[in-house]
Amino acid sequence: MFNSSEINAFKNVWVFCEQREGVMMPTTFELISEGRKLADELGVELCGILLGDDVDGIAKELGVYGADKVYVYNSPLLKVFTTDAYAKVIVDAVEEWKPEILLFGASTIGRDLAPRCAARLHTGLCADCTHLDIDLANYQQFLREASTLPEDRIERTKSVRLAGEDHSVARDLKMTRPAFGGHLMASIICPRFRPAMATVRPGVMKRRENPREVELLHPAFDLKPEDIKTEVVEVVKAGKKLVDLIGADFIVSVGRGISKDVEKGLALAEELANELGGVVGASRACVDAGWIGADHQVGQTGKTVHPKVYIALGISGAIQHKAGMQESECIIAVNKNENAPIFECADYGIVGDLFKVVPELIESIRAAKAAK
Amino acid sequence: MKIFVTVKQVPDTSGTVAVNPDGTLDRASMQTIINPDDMNAVEAALTLKDELGCKVIAFTMGPPPAEGMLRELMAMGVDEGVLITAREFGGSDTYATSQIIAAAIDTYGVEPEDIILAGRQAIDGDTAQVGPQIAEKLHLPQVTYAGEIKKDGDTLTVKRILEDGYMTVKVKTPCMITCIKELNKPRYMNIGGIFACYNMPVVTMTYDTLKDHPLIDKSTIGLLGSPTNILTSFTPPQKGAGQMLPGDGKETTDKLAGILAAKHII
C-alpha cells in the first residue's frame, strides 16, 4: 500500500519529460539539467518519465543533459495529452518506484497535470518555481544574493517547527517562487510527504550538457480507453510563427508609451530588434489592448526572459513586468517619465520620447557597427 | 442543473503593495478585489444560466468580510453564495483548500448535469492548482485554460488555449472547467440586483458544518494538514539604479551605442 508519508522509502529525482507531437519541449532539457544538480546534491539517480507514442528516439536526447534512466511509456492512448491518461500512468509509476522529487515544466500541460497527480498521491506541490535547492549552504548563499534578509534570518532557514519539534530541512527540496505578482518571493518545502513536487517556470533554469549513456526502461502499465473521460477532437497550432522570446539574445519591448501611434511604435521596435538580431516583446498593457499577440508578453503572466540586452521602450515598469525581465544581463530603458520605476532596474536610462529616441538609436548603432 | 463557481477575494497586486519589515505582505493596507479569472468563471456560469435557467452557486473560502464579495456576485445574477470560513481552515495550502471546497460543494451534491467553473489562477498565489485538485477530490474530469465553452446536451466542447495554439476537448458533465480572461467579458452588477442581493441569504459553512464529511480531517486541512510549508519569504533586493544618460538627442544615443560597442554587445 502506497503511503506518501513514509518519506524514507522514497529515492531519486524524477522529471516529467513533456513532448508534443513527438518533439521534446525545450523546458524538458532545462529541467533535466536542474534535476541533475539536485540528484548530485542528494547522491541519487536522475530519471526521466516520458509518455507518448513511439517516443524512444527522443528519450535518448535526455542523456545529453544528464539523465541516468528514462521510464518510457508508449501507447496510442498517450499520443496526445489528456489529464486522465497522463495522471494515471504517472501516479501508478510514482507509487511503484517512489521518487523523492518529481518536477514538471510549468506549461499548460504541466500545470494541468501536476496538481491532479499531487492531490491523488497526497503530497505537496509548489507552482511555477524559479529556483530550486537541496544543499543548505547553496540555498543560504542564494538568499544572501537574492534577498534582503538579515544574516540571522538566513541562518534560521536551516530548520522549521513541525508539530512542536525542529525539523532539519537539509534533505528537503527548497522551492522558491514569486508570489503576489512578484512583490514577494517565498521558499516552500514539503517536509512530511514524498515526492516533493514542483512545476518549474520555462526559460528560467539553464540548460547544461552533462552527457552520459542513458538507460531506457519500458515498464508494463495499465491504461484503458475508458480511463480517459475527455476526448481531444483536434490540436491546432497557431497560424503565424510565434516569437521565441526565451531563446532571444536581444529583446526590444514596447509598453503603453506607443499608444499615440501604435503602428509606428511597433514598426520602430521591429526595426531596432532587426538591427540587433533580436525580437519584439511587450508589456501586458499592449497585449490586453490587442496591439500585439500574447506570445510577445514579458512578465509575471507572460514569459520570463534573460537576454543579453533588454530594451524597454515606453514601459513604466510595473513589478509584474520586472518579474519577467529583471534578470536580463543589460537593461536599457527609454521613457518620457523620469520617475518611471523601470529606471530603478535599468543599467542605462534615457528620459525621452521613444518616437524621437529610437530612430536616433538605430542610426547610432548602425554607425557604431560600421566603425568596427 | 446546477453550476458551482469557486471564487476568491485577493489583494489587488496591480496597485501599491506594502511589505512588512518581516517580509510578509501588509494586507491591511491593500485593496481587495474579486480575483480577475474568477470573474470570467462567474460570467461563463451566468451565460449558461441565461440560456438554460440553471441555478448558480458561488463558493468562497476566506475571512468573514468575503461575504461582501458574494453579495456583489449575487447582484450580477448569482443565485446563492456560500462562505466557507473557520479558524481550522486557516493556513491551508492548495491541497488542503481543495479538500475543504470539494467537501462544501459535495454537501450540495454533484449531479450528472452539473458543472463546476473556476478561474484559472488567483493573482495572489498564481498557482492554478486548486481547480484541478477540487476536480481530483470529487473524481471529476477537468479541462483547464478554457477560452471558449459550448454546451450541447450533456457534452461541453471546450477550446483549451495552449502556448502555441489550442486544442478542442469534449467532456461530459459533471466536470470541472477552469476559465481564462479570453473566455468572455464579465458583466456589471445590475441595479435591481444590487438592492435584491442584500435580502438574499449567504450560506456560511464552518468547521462544524463540514467536519463529518469524509474529506475533512484535522490531518488534511488547515496549516497542520497542508503538505507544504513556507520556509521563508522575502523581498528581492532593488537592483542598484544604473546610469542615466543625459539628453535625448543623437549625442546621447551615440554614447549608448559606444558603450554597447565597447562592451562587445554589438
Side-chain angles (χ1 to χ4, degrees):
Chain A
M1 178 71 182
F2 178 78
N3 182 343
S4 61
S5 67
E6 288 171 354
I7 64 172
N8 293 325
F10 290 76
K11 194 178 170 183
N12 296 331
V13 175
W14 278 28
V15 170
F16 168 69
C17 300
E18 184 182 331
Q19 57 82 24
R20 295 187 192 181
E21 295 176 6
V23 178
M24 202 65 87
M25 296 296 280
T27 310
T28 302
F29 301 124
E30 298 162 15
L31 290 189
I32 291 285
S33 301
E34 187 66 14
R36 183 70 260 165
K37 179 193 92 175
L38 301 175
D40 288 343
E41 289 182 5
L42 285 164
V44 299
E45 287 185 329
L46 172 65
C47 309
I49 175 165
L50 174 63
L51 282 57
D53 191 19
D54 192 17
V55 287
D56 282 27
I58 57 169
K60 298 196 186 84
E61 298 170 16
L62 300 168
V64 176
Y65 299 93
D68 297 304
K69 292 177 182 166
V70 184
Y71 293 85
V72 187
Y73 295 84
N74 285 309
S75 161
L77 296 175
L78 296 170
K79 188 176 170 67
V80 175
F81 170 75
T82 59
T83 316
D84 294 330
Y86 275 51
K88 179 168 195 308
V89 171
I90 291 170
V91 167
D92 288 352
V94 168
E95 293 190 351
E96 187 162 357
W97 283 286
K98 302 184 178 64
E100 60 192 295
I101 289 173
L102 176 55
L103 306 179
F104 295 75
S107 65
T108 51
I109 286 179
R111 298 185 76 180
D112 178 279
L113 176 61
R116 195 93 201 190
C117 294
R120 201 172 301 174
L121 291 163
H122 190 171
T123 191
L125 169 64
C126 184
D128 220 11
C129 298
T130 53
H131 191 89
L132 298 172
D133 283 293
I134 294 288
D135 184 83
L136 186 62
N138 285 349
Y139 171 67
Q140 294 185 330
Q141 187 54 35
F142 158 72
L143 288 182
R144 280 181 200 106
E145 289 161 14
S147 81
T148 52
L149 291 178
E151 191 57 35
D152 63 314
R153 283 207 44 210
I154 292 176
E155 177 59 24
R156 284 211 303 273
T157 59
K158 65 177 193 267
S159 63
V160 288
R161 292 292 283 178
L162 279 185
E165 286 179 33
D166 278 330
H167 165 91
S168 162
V169 301
R171 262 190 93 84
D172 286 312
L173 179 63
K174 291 160 275 292
M175 304 174 268
T176 303
R177 65 182 304 267
F180 297 101
H183 290 280
L184 214 57
M185 301 292 289
S187 296
I188 309 290
I189 51 171
C190 176
R192 298 179 296 127
F193 299 96
R194 293 291 182 269
M197 290 177 55
T199 61
V200 179
R201 197 167 172 89
V204 173
M205 302 300 174
K206 296 267 189 306
R207 255 189 221 209
R208 288 179 293 265
E209 291 198 7
N210 193 336
R212 62 196 63 210
E213 196 63 44
V214 61
E215 182 188 352
L216 302 194
L217 302 158
H218 296 90
F221 62 103
D222 171 36
L223 182 65
K224 296 181 281 298
E226 55 269 32
D227 293 325
I228 305 169
K229 307 291 183 205
T230 58
E231 180 199 345
V232 176
V233 184
E234 57 174 351
V235 180
V236 180
K237 287 262 185 196
K240 67 180 180 73
K241 197 177 173 314
L242 297 174
V243 62
D244 180 17
L245 284 176
I246 286 173
D249 280 338
F250 293 89
I251 297 176
V252 179
S253 274
V254 291
R256 223 186 287 267
I258 63 167
S259 64
K260 104 179 159 192
D261 187 343
V262 171
E263 208 171 304
K264 183 158 178 233
L266 284 174
L268 283 173
E270 191 76 43
E271 193 183 344
L272 179 55
N274 284 341
E275 193 57 43
L276 295 165
V279 298
V280 174
S283 70
R284 181 172 182 163
C286 295
V287 174
D288 284 354
W291 299 339
I292 193 165
D295 52 316
H296 293 269
Q297 188 182 327
V298 173
Q300 174 73 2
T301 47
K303 295 201 178 67
T304 299
V305 298
H306 29 67
K308 285 194 184 128
V309 178
Y310 187 90
I311 304 182
L313 303 176
I315 293 178
S316 65
I319 197 136
Q320 287 85 351
H321 187 76
K322 285 188 188 165
M325 48 66 79
Q326 61 198 0
E327 299 298 321
S328 304
E329 283 175 41
C330 175
I331 297 170
I332 298 167
V334 178
N335 201 297
K336 277 200 291 198
N337 176 4
E338 61 180 313
N339 297 317
I342 191 76
F343 289 124
E344 291 163 13
C345 73
D347 296 279
Y348 302 102
I350 297 177
V351 178
D353 183 352
L354 71 95
F355 290 95
K356 174 175 187 297
V357 174
V358 175
E360 295 166 352
L361 181 58
I362 292 168
E363 256 185 66
S364 300
I365 288 172
R366 278 188 192 138
K369 282 208 240 171
K372 280 217 159 178
Chain B
M1 177 188 174
K2 301 186 289 301
I3 301 180
F4 304 104
V5 197
T6 61
V7 289
K8 186 177 186 185
Q9 194 171 42
V10 293
D12 184 359
T13 56
S14 67
T16 31
V17 170
V19 178
N20 293 318
D22 66 351
T24 59
L25 207 70
D26 179 9
R27 283 175 182 264
S29 74
M30 296 175 69
Q31 299 280 346
T32 58
I33 55 169
I34 305 177
N35 181 52
D37 286 347
D38 299 353
M39 289 297 276
N40 299 105
V42 169
E43 178 57 40
L46 294 175
T47 306
L48 287 167
K49 179 185 166 179
D50 292 343
E51 265 173 53
L52 305 163
C54 53
K55 185 173 180 185
V56 177
I57 308 162
F59 289 76
T60 193
M61 183 165 107
E67 182 182 331
M69 171 187 66
L70 290 173
R71 293 209 187 275
E72 280 180 43
L73 298 177
M74 290 193 278
M76 287 170 65
V78 166
D79 297 290
E80 197 167 316
V82 180
L83 173 67
I84 308 163
T85 191
R87 195 172 296 274
E88 289 87 343
F89 299 154
S92 290
D93 71 356
T94 68
Y95 181 96
T97 301
S98 66
Q99 297 261 128
I100 298 162
I101 298 177
I105 291 173
D106 198 39
T107 60
Y108 278 73
V110 181
E111 292 171 296
E113 67 275 24
D114 293 350
I115 301 169
I116 306 177
L117 296 171
R120 168 193 57 162
Q121 66 193 51
I123 58 168
D124 52 355
D126 281 323
T127 74
Q129 289 173 189
V130 173
Q133 295 194 316
I134 291 172
E136 173 64 24
K137 293 297 167 190
L138 294 172
H139 307 290
L140 298 176
Q142 74 191 39
V143 184
T144 54
Y145 298 91
E148 200 178 291
I149 303 172
K150 289 194 187 113
K151 187 170 185 298
D152 183 16
D154 65 352
T155 302
L156 298 183
T157 304
V158 181
K159 186 171 174 182
R160 181 172 188 274
I161 308 296
L162 308 174
E163 293 86 346
D164 55 354
Y166 66 90
M167 55 166 58
T168 307
V169 183
K170 284 193 166 165
V171 62
K172 284 192 182 342
T173 61
C175 59
M176 157 70 78
I177 311 288
T178 77
C179 306
I180 60 175
K181 68 171 190 286
E182 287 79 1
L183 179 59
N184 53 40
K185 192 171 177 302
R187 68 189 66 186
Y188 295 104
M189 294 182 272
N190 65 69
I191 300 292
I194 292 171
F195 285 105
C197 74
Y198 283 93
N199 296 318
M200 290 162 75
V202 164
V203 178
T204 301
M205 292 191 178
T206 64
Y207 176 69
D208 278 335
T209 323
L210 295 173
K211 69 178 191 303
D212 295 327
H213 191 281
L215 284 171
I216 302 296
D217 181 294
K218 277 269 165 67
S219 70
T220 57
I221 59 160
L223 187 61
L224 291 178
S226 294
T228 60
N229 296 69
I230 298 174
L231 178 60
T232 188
S233 65
F234 57 91
T235 46
Q238 282 291 339
K239 185 176 161 182
Q243 189 183 350
M244 294 302 287
L245 304 172
D248 65 352
K250 186 72 174 18
E251 59 286 1
T252 307
T253 56
D254 277 347
K255 188 171 176 208
L256 178 57
I259 294 169
L260 297 180
K263 292 189 165 201
H264 304 290
I265 291 172
I266 56 171

